[in-house]
Amino acid sequence: KVFRPNAVGVLDMLQQVKEDFDAAAERTKKLEKEASNEFEHLNTTMRASIRSTERSLTKTAKDLGTVQVDLGDTLAKLRREQGLLNGAVKELEKLRAACMDEVDPEERRKAREDEIEALKQDED
């Protein structure tokens, strides 16, 4: 047998490389498992959030439709009421002109008496 003093050193180095590789492989497996678990948790959370947001969006869209219908009904009612108000204002202006013209109260009284006298004469 030939003595090889360096051979033991090489075997020790190879053994150390193998142990380092095995330790790195174990750390990598552990990190991959943690990353996989974290991904699954985030994926589950995100999917639940998406479903919740989609339900909320559907409800909001339905509510928007209801509000739009209510708004249309309210605007139609407002237009009707505004028409009635405009008519009432016009009628009020006509009455105001008849009641508040610039005729002297004494002249108005005289005209009323003349009108009453004319009506009495028509009856006869």
Side-chain angles (χ1 to χ4, degrees), residues 69-113:
V69 168
D70 290 348
L71 178 61
D73 293 345
T74 301
L75 285 174
K77 183 178 178 183
L78 176 63
R79 287 187 184 106
R80 282 191 308 273
E81 297 296 325
Q82 186 65 48
L84 292 172
L85 177 62
N86 291 344
V89 168
K90 286 179 185 176
E91 191 64 31
L92 179 62
E93 289 300 320
K94 289 178 190 176
L95 292 172
R96 181 174 294 159
C99 294
M100 309 269 312
D101 57 4
E102 296 185 15
V103 176
D104 181 47
E106 200 50 44
E107 289 177 27
R108 185 176 295 147
R109 186 185 59 72
K110 174 87 170 90
R112 208 173 21 245
E113 287 174 356

mmCIF file of all heavy atoms in Angstrom, residues 69-113:
data_model
loop_
_atom_site.group_PDB
_atom_site.id
_atom_site.type_symbol
_atom_site.label_atom_id
_atom_site.label_comp_id
_atom_site.label_asym_id
_atom_site.label_seq_id
_atom_site.Cartn_x
_atom_site.Cartn_y
_atom_site.Cartn_z
ATOM 1 N N VAL A 69 -84.059 54.370 -11.185
ATOM 2 C CA VAL A 69 -85.515 54.315 -11.388
ATOM 3 C C VAL A 69 -86.204 55.329 -10.482
ATOM 4 O O VAL A 69 -87.081 56.083 -10.920
ATOM 5 C CB VAL A 69 -86.047 52.886 -11.128
ATOM 6 C CG1 VAL A 69 -87.560 52.869 -11.034
ATOM 7 C CG2 VAL A 69 -85.567 51.942 -12.219
ATOM 8 N N ASP A 70 -85.787 55.361 -9.209
ATOM 9 C CA ASP A 70 -86.375 56.321 -8.259
ATOM 10 C C ASP A 70 -86.124 57.753 -8.719
ATOM 11 O O ASP A 70 -87.009 58.608 -8.612
ATOM 12 C CB ASP A 70 -85.799 56.121 -6.861
ATOM 13 C CG ASP A 70 -86.261 54.831 -6.206
ATOM 14 O OD1 ASP A 70 -87.204 54.197 -6.738
ATOM 15 O OD2 ASP A 70 -85.676 54.445 -5.173
ATOM 16 N N LEU A 71 -84.935 58.009 -9.217
ATOM 17 C CA LEU A 71 -84.606 59.355 -9.701
ATOM 18 C C LEU A 71 -85.500 59.729 -10.878
ATOM 19 O O LEU A 71 -86.013 60.849 -10.932
ATOM 20 C CB LEU A 71 -83.131 59.425 -10.109
ATOM 21 C CG LEU A 71 -82.651 60.762 -10.668
ATOM 22 C CD1 LEU A 71 -82.816 61.866 -9.632
ATOM 23 C CD2 LEU A 71 -81.198 60.653 -11.115
ATOM 24 N N GLY A 72 -85.719 58.810 -11.804
ATOM 25 C CA GLY A 72 -86.602 59.074 -12.932
ATOM 26 C C GLY A 72 -88.016 59.378 -12.474
ATOM 27 O O GLY A 72 -88.642 60.329 -12.958
ATOM 28 N N ASP A 73 -88.520 58.584 -11.524
ATOM 29 C CA ASP A 73 -89.865 58.821 -10.992
ATOM 30 C C ASP A 73 -89.948 60.183 -10.295
ATOM 31 O O ASP A 73 -90.915 60.920 -10.465
ATOM 32 C CB ASP A 73 -90.257 57.722 -9.994
ATOM 33 C CG ASP A 73 -90.425 56.359 -10.652
ATOM 34 O OD1 ASP A 73 -90.514 56.301 -11.895
ATOM 35 O OD2 ASP A 73 -90.461 55.353 -9.918
ATOM 36 N N THR A 74 -88.932 60.488 -9.521
ATOM 37 C CA THR A 74 -88.913 61.754 -8.787
ATOM 38 C C THR A 74 -88.844 62.940 -9.744
ATOM 39 O O THR A 74 -89.528 63.950 -9.532
ATOM 40 C CB THR A 74 -87.728 61.784 -7.807
ATOM 41 O OG1 THR A 74 -87.855 60.680 -6.906
ATOM 42 C CG2 THR A 74 -87.689 63.076 -7.017
ATOM 43 N N LEU A 75 -88.041 62.825 -10.796
ATOM 44 C CA LEU A 75 -87.960 63.907 -11.778
ATOM 45 C C LEU A 75 -89.287 64.103 -12.499
ATOM 46 O O LEU A 75 -89.709 65.245 -12.733
ATOM 47 C CB LEU A 75 -86.841 63.633 -12.783
ATOM 48 C CG LEU A 75 -85.421 63.863 -12.267
ATOM 49 C CD1 LEU A 75 -84.392 63.427 -13.312
ATOM 50 C CD2 LEU A 75 -85.201 65.308 -11.886
ATOM 51 N N ALA A 76 -89.970 63.020 -12.833
ATOM 52 C CA ALA A 76 -91.276 63.132 -13.490
ATOM 53 C C ALA A 76 -92.270 63.823 -12.549
ATOM 54 O O ALA A 76 -93.026 64.708 -12.973
ATOM 55 C CB ALA A 76 -91.788 61.753 -13.893
ATOM 56 N N LYS A 77 -92.258 63.437 -11.290
ATOM 57 C CA LYS A 77 -93.146 64.061 -10.307
ATOM 58 C C LYS A 77 -92.803 65.543 -10.146
ATOM 59 O O LYS A 77 -93.701 66.393 -10.086
ATOM 60 C CB LYS A 77 -93.026 63.347 -8.960
ATOM 61 C CG LYS A 77 -93.960 63.886 -7.912
ATOM 62 C CD LYS A 77 -93.838 63.116 -6.605
ATOM 63 C CE LYS A 77 -94.748 63.711 -5.556
ATOM 64 N NZ LYS A 77 -94.591 63.043 -4.267
ATOM 65 N N LEU A 78 -91.519 65.850 -10.110
ATOM 66 C CA LEU A 78 -91.085 67.244 -9.992
ATOM 67 C C LEU A 78 -91.564 68.065 -11.186
ATOM 68 O O LEU A 78 -92.051 69.191 -11.015
ATOM 69 C CB LEU A 78 -89.558 67.319 -9.887
ATOM 70 C CG LEU A 78 -88.945 68.715 -9.843
ATOM 71 C CD1 LEU A 78 -89.410 69.457 -8.597
ATOM 72 C CD2 LEU A 78 -87.428 68.641 -9.893
ATOM 73 N N ARG A 79 -91.478 67.506 -12.372
ATOM 74 C CA ARG A 79 -91.948 68.219 -13.571
ATOM 75 C C ARG A 79 -93.459 68.472 -13.493
ATOM 76 O O ARG A 79 -93.932 69.562 -13.837
ATOM 77 C CB ARG A 79 -91.589 67.434 -14.822
ATOM 78 C CG ARG A 79 -90.109 67.503 -15.144
ATOM 79 C CD ARG A 79 -89.787 66.842 -16.493
ATOM 80 N NE ARG A 79 -88.358 66.850 -16.693
ATOM 81 C CZ ARG A 79 -87.562 65.786 -16.595
ATOM 82 N NH1 ARG A 79 -88.083 64.609 -16.315
ATOM 83 N NH2 ARG A 79 -86.268 65.883 -16.797
ATOM 84 N N ARG A 80 -94.215 67.473 -13.050
ATOM 85 C CA ARG A 80 -95.672 67.655 -12.900
ATOM 86 C C ARG A 80 -95.969 68.755 -11.890
ATOM 87 O O ARG A 80 -96.787 69.640 -12.141
ATOM 88 C CB ARG A 80 -96.336 66.349 -12.456
ATOM 89 C CG ARG A 80 -96.530 65.325 -13.550
ATOM 90 C CD ARG A 80 -97.441 64.178 -13.098
ATOM 91 N NE ARG A 80 -97.035 63.549 -11.849
ATOM 92 C CZ ARG A 80 -96.173 62.548 -11.747
ATOM 93 N NH1 ARG A 80 -95.600 62.061 -12.819
ATOM 94 N NH2 ARG A 80 -95.885 62.035 -10.563
ATOM 95 N N GLU A 81 -95.301 68.675 -10.745
ATOM 96 C CA GLU A 81 -95.535 69.658 -9.683
ATOM 97 C C GLU A 81 -95.111 71.052 -10.143
ATOM 98 O O GLU A 81 -95.778 72.038 -9.834
ATOM 99 C CB GLU A 81 -94.781 69.269 -8.409
ATOM 100 C CG GLU A 81 -95.223 67.958 -7.786
ATOM 101 C CD GLU A 81 -96.657 67.992 -7.297
ATOM 102 O OE1 GLU A 81 -97.111 69.053 -6.823
ATOM 103 O OE2 GLU A 81 -97.344 66.957 -7.401
ATOM 104 N N GLN A 82 -94.019 71.149 -10.889
ATOM 105 C CA GLN A 82 -93.567 72.443 -11.385
ATOM 106 C C GLN A 82 -94.586 73.017 -12.364
ATOM 107 O O GLN A 82 -94.848 74.220 -12.367
ATOM 108 C CB GLN A 82 -92.195 72.315 -12.065
ATOM 109 C CG GLN A 82 -91.588 73.653 -12.477
ATOM 110 C CD GLN A 82 -91.265 74.529 -11.286
ATOM 111 O OE1 GLN A 82 -90.658 74.088 -10.337
ATOM 112 N NE2 GLN A 82 -91.686 75.796 -11.345
ATOM 113 N N GLY A 83 -95.188 72.170 -13.189
ATOM 114 C CA GLY A 83 -96.236 72.608 -14.100
ATOM 115 C C GLY A 83 -97.428 73.160 -13.339
ATOM 116 O O GLY A 83 -97.981 74.207 -13.703
ATOM 117 N N LEU A 84 -97.824 72.456 -12.280
ATOM 118 C CA LEU A 84 -98.928 72.944 -11.455
ATOM 119 C C LEU A 84 -98.578 74.280 -10.800
ATOM 120 O O LEU A 84 -99.405 75.201 -10.761
ATOM 121 C CB LEU A 84 -99.295 71.912 -10.382
ATOM 122 C CG LEU A 84 -99.918 70.608 -10.881
ATOM 123 C CD1 LEU A 84 -100.049 69.615 -9.725
ATOM 124 C CD2 LEU A 84 -101.265 70.864 -11.525
ATOM 125 N N LEU A 85 -97.371 74.389 -10.309
ATOM 126 C CA LEU A 85 -96.932 75.630 -9.680
ATOM 127 C C LEU A 85 -96.920 76.774 -10.685
ATOM 128 O O LEU A 85 -97.397 77.874 -10.387
ATOM 129 C CB LEU A 85 -95.542 75.451 -9.061
ATOM 130 C CG LEU A 85 -94.936 76.707 -8.419
ATOM 131 C CD1 LEU A 85 -95.801 77.183 -7.257
ATOM 132 C CD2 LEU A 85 -93.516 76.437 -7.969
ATOM 133 N N ASN A 86 -96.402 76.514 -11.864
ATOM 134 C CA ASN A 86 -96.379 77.560 -12.898
ATOM 135 C C ASN A 86 -97.799 78.020 -13.239
ATOM 136 O O ASN A 86 -98.043 79.214 -13.405
ATOM 137 C CB ASN A 86 -95.663 77.059 -14.147
ATOM 138 C CG ASN A 86 -94.173 76.877 -13.924
ATOM 139 O OD1 ASN A 86 -93.614 77.378 -12.967
ATOM 140 N ND2 ASN A 86 -93.532 76.135 -14.816
ATOM 141 N N GLY A 87 -98.727 77.085 -13.354
ATOM 142 C CA GLY A 87 -100.124 77.437 -13.623
ATOM 143 C C GLY A 87 -100.712 78.281 -12.500
ATOM 144 O O GLY A 87 -101.425 79.269 -12.747
ATOM 145 N N ALA A 88 -100.417 77.900 -11.267
ATOM 146 C CA ALA A 88 -100.931 78.645 -10.122
ATOM 147 C C ALA A 88 -100.355 80.061 -10.090
ATOM 148 O O ALA A 88 -101.065 81.023 -9.792
ATOM 149 C CB ALA A 88 -100.610 77.914 -8.817
ATOM 150 N N VAL A 89 -99.065 80.191 -10.428
ATOM 151 C CA VAL A 89 -98.440 81.519 -10.452
ATOM 152 C C VAL A 89 -99.082 82.382 -11.530
ATOM 153 O O VAL A 89 -99.374 83.570 -11.300
ATOM 154 C CB VAL A 89 -96.910 81.400 -10.651
ATOM 155 C CG1 VAL A 89 -96.294 82.750 -10.971
ATOM 156 C CG2 VAL A 89 -96.255 80.797 -9.414
ATOM 157 N N LYS A 90 -99.340 81.808 -12.694
ATOM 158 C CA LYS A 90 -99.995 82.573 -13.773
ATOM 159 C C LYS A 90 -101.387 83.035 -13.339
ATOM 160 O O LYS A 90 -101.780 84.177 -13.576
ATOM 161 C CB LYS A 90 -100.095 81.732 -15.046
ATOM 162 C CG LYS A 90 -98.789 81.576 -15.768
ATOM 163 C CD LYS A 90 -98.938 80.715 -17.004
ATOM 164 C CE LYS A 90 -97.596 80.465 -17.653
ATOM 165 N NZ LYS A 90 -97.701 79.567 -18.799
ATOM 166 N N GLU A 91 -102.127 82.134 -12.710
ATOM 167 C CA GLU A 91 -103.468 82.477 -12.240
ATOM 168 C C GLU A 91 -103.393 83.567 -11.177
ATOM 169 O O GLU A 91 -104.194 84.512 -11.173
ATOM 170 C CB GLU A 91 -104.165 81.230 -11.684
ATOM 171 C CG GLU A 91 -105.621 81.396 -11.424
ATOM 172 C CD GLU A 91 -106.425 81.669 -12.691
ATOM 173 O OE1 GLU A 91 -106.045 81.196 -13.783
ATOM 174 O OE2 GLU A 91 -107.443 82.387 -12.577
ATOM 175 N N LEU A 92 -102.421 83.480 -10.286
ATOM 176 C CA LEU A 92 -102.231 84.490 -9.258
ATOM 177 C C LEU A 92 -101.918 85.848 -9.885
ATOM 178 O O LEU A 92 -102.446 86.876 -9.444
ATOM 179 C CB LEU A 92 -101.110 84.070 -8.300
ATOM 180 C CG LEU A 92 -100.780 85.040 -7.174
ATOM 181 C CD1 LEU A 92 -101.993 85.222 -6.262
ATOM 182 C CD2 LEU A 92 -99.584 84.555 -6.393
ATOM 183 N N GLU A 93 -101.101 85.856 -10.907
ATOM 184 C CA GLU A 93 -100.779 87.117 -11.588
ATOM 185 C C GLU A 93 -102.028 87.730 -12.232
ATOM 186 O O GLU A 93 -102.218 88.940 -12.186
ATOM 187 C CB GLU A 93 -99.692 86.888 -12.645
ATOM 188 C CG GLU A 93 -98.320 86.595 -12.052
ATOM 189 C CD GLU A 93 -97.795 87.721 -11.174
ATOM 190 O OE1 GLU A 93 -97.967 88.902 -11.530
ATOM 191 O OE2 GLU A 93 -97.205 87.410 -10.118
ATOM 192 N N LYS A 94 -102.864 86.884 -12.811
ATOM 193 C CA LYS A 94 -104.116 87.393 -13.393
ATOM 194 C C LYS A 94 -104.988 88.010 -12.309
ATOM 195 O O LYS A 94 -105.562 89.094 -12.485
ATOM 196 C CB LYS A 94 -104.888 86.279 -14.093
ATOM 197 C CG LYS A 94 -104.290 85.798 -15.368
ATOM 198 C CD LYS A 94 -105.142 84.664 -15.926
ATOM 199 C CE LYS A 94 -104.468 83.960 -17.076
ATOM 200 N NZ LYS A 94 -105.263 82.821 -17.537
ATOM 201 N N LEU A 95 -105.119 87.312 -11.183
ATOM 202 C CA LEU A 95 -105.941 87.823 -10.083
ATOM 203 C C LEU A 95 -105.344 89.094 -9.499
ATOM 204 O O LEU A 95 -106.073 90.039 -9.174
ATOM 205 C CB LEU A 95 -106.097 86.762 -8.990
ATOM 206 C CG LEU A 95 -106.926 85.543 -9.365
ATOM 207 C CD1 LEU A 95 -106.842 84.493 -8.264
ATOM 208 C CD2 LEU A 95 -108.374 85.937 -9.633
ATOM 209 N N ARG A 96 -104.053 89.119 -9.386
ATOM 210 C CA ARG A 96 -103.393 90.297 -8.835
ATOM 211 C C ARG A 96 -103.660 91.506 -9.737
ATOM 212 O O ARG A 96 -103.932 92.598 -9.249
ATOM 213 C CB ARG A 96 -101.891 90.057 -8.701
ATOM 214 C CG ARG A 96 -101.172 91.259 -8.094
ATOM 215 C CD ARG A 96 -99.722 90.976 -7.837
ATOM 216 N NE ARG A 96 -99.650 89.951 -6.799
ATOM 217 C CZ ARG A 96 -98.598 89.176 -6.598
ATOM 218 N NH1 ARG A 96 -97.539 89.301 -7.350
ATOM 219 N NH2 ARG A 96 -98.600 88.281 -5.646
ATOM 220 N N ALA A 97 -103.583 91.308 -11.047
ATOM 221 C CA ALA A 97 -103.837 92.409 -11.980
ATOM 222 C C ALA A 97 -105.272 92.910 -11.824
ATOM 223 O O ALA A 97 -105.524 94.119 -11.852
ATOM 224 C CB ALA A 97 -103.575 91.952 -13.404
ATOM 225 N N ALA A 98 -106.196 91.981 -11.625
ATOM 226 C CA ALA A 98 -107.597 92.376 -11.479
ATOM 227 C C ALA A 98 -107.842 93.072 -10.146
ATOM 228 O O ALA A 98 -108.679 93.975 -10.059
ATOM 229 C CB ALA A 98 -108.498 91.165 -11.610
ATOM 230 N N CYS A 99 -107.150 92.654 -9.129
ATOM 231 C CA CYS A 99 -107.398 93.180 -7.788
ATOM 232 C C CYS A 99 -106.517 94.376 -7.445
ATOM 233 O O CYS A 99 -106.878 95.191 -6.598
ATOM 234 C CB CYS A 99 -107.160 92.100 -6.748
ATOM 235 S SG CYS A 99 -108.332 90.755 -6.847
ATOM 236 N N MET A 100 -105.378 94.460 -8.036
ATOM 237 C CA MET A 100 -104.413 95.440 -7.591
ATOM 238 C C MET A 100 -104.071 96.461 -8.672
ATOM 239 O O MET A 100 -103.017 97.059 -8.633
ATOM 240 C CB MET A 100 -103.124 94.747 -7.157
ATOM 241 C CG MET A 100 -103.296 93.619 -6.190
ATOM 242 S SD MET A 100 -103.216 94.022 -4.454
ATOM 243 C CE MET A 100 -101.808 95.004 -4.247
ATOM 244 N N ASP A 101 -104.964 96.639 -9.649
ATOM 245 C CA ASP A 101 -104.636 97.632 -10.675
ATOM 246 C C ASP A 101 -104.589 99.010 -10.038
ATOM 247 O O ASP A 101 -104.964 99.207 -8.894
ATOM 248 C CB ASP A 101 -105.609 97.572 -11.854
ATOM 249 C CG ASP A 101 -107.050 97.763 -11.425
ATOM 250 O OD1 ASP A 101 -107.264 98.019 -10.238
ATOM 251 O OD2 ASP A 101 -107.933 97.652 -12.287
ATOM 252 N N GLU A 102 -104.141 99.949 -10.761
ATOM 253 C CA GLU A 102 -103.904 101.268 -10.191
ATOM 254 C C GLU A 102 -105.151 102.145 -10.198
ATOM 255 O O GLU A 102 -105.069 103.364 -10.273
ATOM 256 C CB GLU A 102 -102.760 101.922 -10.955
ATOM 257 C CG GLU A 102 -101.463 101.161 -10.767
ATOM 258 C CD GLU A 102 -100.292 101.868 -11.410
ATOM 259 O OE1 GLU A 102 -100.391 103.056 -11.758
ATOM 260 O OE2 GLU A 102 -99.264 101.212 -11.557
ATOM 261 N N VAL A 103 -106.291 101.566 -10.090
ATOM 262 C CA VAL A 103 -107.546 102.324 -10.024
ATOM 263 C C VAL A 103 -107.733 102.793 -8.589
ATOM 264 O O VAL A 103 -107.536 102.042 -7.643
ATOM 265 C CB VAL A 103 -108.733 101.450 -10.494
ATOM 266 C CG1 VAL A 103 -110.049 102.189 -10.346
ATOM 267 C CG2 VAL A 103 -108.505 100.967 -11.902
ATOM 268 N N ASP A 104 -108.149 104.012 -8.472
ATOM 269 C CA ASP A 104 -108.420 104.601 -7.166
ATOM 270 C C ASP A 104 -109.552 103.817 -6.501
ATOM 271 O O ASP A 104 -110.525 103.437 -7.151
ATOM 272 C CB ASP A 104 -108.826 106.076 -7.390
ATOM 273 C CG ASP A 104 -109.113 106.786 -6.081
ATOM 274 O OD1 ASP A 104 -108.294 106.641 -5.167
ATOM 275 O OD2 ASP A 104 -110.164 107.454 -6.008
ATOM 276 N N PRO A 105 -109.436 103.543 -5.195
ATOM 277 C CA PRO A 105 -110.487 102.782 -4.509
ATOM 278 C C PRO A 105 -111.869 103.424 -4.661
ATOM 279 O O PRO A 105 -112.876 102.723 -4.770
ATOM 280 C CB PRO A 105 -110.049 102.763 -3.050
ATOM 281 C CG PRO A 105 -108.587 103.014 -3.070
ATOM 282 C CD PRO A 105 -108.314 103.829 -4.289
ATOM 283 N N GLU A 106 -111.909 104.730 -4.691
ATOM 284 C CA GLU A 106 -113.183 105.431 -4.848
ATOM 285 C C GLU A 106 -113.756 105.176 -6.230
ATOM 286 O O GLU A 106 -114.958 104.950 -6.380
ATOM 287 C CB GLU A 106 -112.947 106.932 -4.614
ATOM 288 C CG GLU A 106 -114.164 107.753 -4.271
ATOM 289 C CD GLU A 106 -115.012 107.172 -3.149
ATOM 290 O OE1 GLU A 106 -114.475 106.725 -2.112
ATOM 291 O OE2 GLU A 106 -116.239 107.156 -3.317
ATOM 292 N N GLU A 107 -112.879 105.149 -7.235
ATOM 293 C CA GLU A 107 -113.328 104.858 -8.607
ATOM 294 C C GLU A 107 -113.812 103.415 -8.702
ATOM 295 O O GLU A 107 -114.801 103.134 -9.382
ATOM 296 C CB GLU A 107 -112.198 105.097 -9.603
ATOM 297 C CG GLU A 107 -111.843 106.551 -9.821
ATOM 298 C CD GLU A 107 -110.675 106.705 -10.772
ATOM 299 O OE1 GLU A 107 -110.468 105.811 -11.628
ATOM 300 O OE2 GLU A 107 -109.967 107.713 -10.658
ATOM 301 N N ARG A 108 -113.125 102.530 -8.040
ATOM 302 C CA ARG A 108 -113.513 101.117 -8.044
ATOM 303 C C ARG A 108 -114.887 100.957 -7.402
ATOM 304 O O ARG A 108 -115.742 100.234 -7.907
ATOM 305 C CB ARG A 108 -112.474 100.272 -7.300
ATOM 306 C CG ARG A 108 -112.784 98.784 -7.395
ATOM 307 C CD ARG A 108 -111.746 97.919 -6.752
ATOM 308 N NE ARG A 108 -110.495 98.069 -7.487
ATOM 309 C CZ ARG A 108 -109.299 98.002 -6.951
ATOM 310 N NH1 ARG A 108 -109.176 97.765 -5.678
ATOM 311 N NH2 ARG A 108 -108.228 98.157 -7.662
ATOM 312 N N ARG A 109 -115.102 101.636 -6.272
ATOM 313 C CA ARG A 109 -116.397 101.581 -5.595
ATOM 314 C C ARG A 109 -117.493 102.110 -6.519
ATOM 315 O O ARG A 109 -118.551 101.507 -6.667
ATOM 316 C CB ARG A 109 -116.363 102.387 -4.298
ATOM 317 C CG ARG A 109 -117.655 102.249 -3.461
ATOM 318 C CD ARG A 109 -117.659 103.138 -2.247
ATOM 319 N NE ARG A 109 -117.529 104.561 -2.553
ATOM 320 C CZ ARG A 109 -118.498 105.308 -3.103
ATOM 321 N NH1 ARG A 109 -119.648 104.787 -3.396
ATOM 322 N NH2 ARG A 109 -118.301 106.588 -3.335
ATOM 323 N N LYS A 110 -117.228 103.214 -7.193
ATOM 324 C CA LYS A 110 -118.205 103.810 -8.112
ATOM 325 C C LYS A 110 -118.503 102.860 -9.259
ATOM 326 O O LYS A 110 -119.657 102.656 -9.625
ATOM 327 C CB LYS A 110 -117.648 105.146 -8.658
ATOM 328 C CG LYS A 110 -118.470 105.794 -9.723
ATOM 329 C CD LYS A 110 -119.545 106.670 -9.103
ATOM 330 C CE LYS A 110 -120.224 107.516 -10.151
ATOM 331 N NZ LYS A 110 -121.364 106.921 -10.755
ATOM 332 N N ALA A 111 -117.453 102.198 -9.808
ATOM 333 C CA ALA A 111 -117.645 101.250 -10.917
ATOM 334 C C ALA A 111 -118.469 100.062 -10.448
ATOM 335 O O ALA A 111 -119.346 99.568 -11.178
ATOM 336 C CB ALA A 111 -116.302 100.791 -11.451
ATOM 337 N N ARG A 112 -118.232 99.590 -9.232
ATOM 338 C CA ARG A 112 -119.002 98.475 -8.695
ATOM 339 C C ARG A 112 -120.470 98.850 -8.526
ATOM 340 O O ARG A 112 -121.362 98.087 -8.876
ATOM 341 C CB ARG A 112 -118.377 98.044 -7.348
ATOM 342 C CG ARG A 112 -118.594 96.608 -7.015
ATOM 343 C CD ARG A 112 -117.852 96.122 -5.777
ATOM 344 N NE ARG A 112 -117.442 97.145 -4.829
ATOM 345 C CZ ARG A 112 -116.178 97.444 -4.539
ATOM 346 N NH1 ARG A 112 -115.194 96.814 -5.131
ATOM 347 N NH2 ARG A 112 -115.891 98.367 -3.652
ATOM 348 N N GLU A 113 -120.696 100.023 -8.004
ATOM 349 C CA GLU A 113 -122.078 100.486 -7.829
ATOM 350 C C GLU A 113 -122.774 100.624 -9.184
ATOM 351 O O GLU A 113 -123.936 100.251 -9.321
ATOM 352 C CB GLU A 113 -122.097 101.825 -7.082
ATOM 353 C CG GLU A 113 -121.763 101.699 -5.613
ATOM 354 C CD GLU A 113 -121.641 103.047 -4.913
ATOM 355 O OE1 GLU A 113 -121.745 104.107 -5.575
ATOM 356 O OE2 GLU A 113 -121.420 103.040 -3.694
#
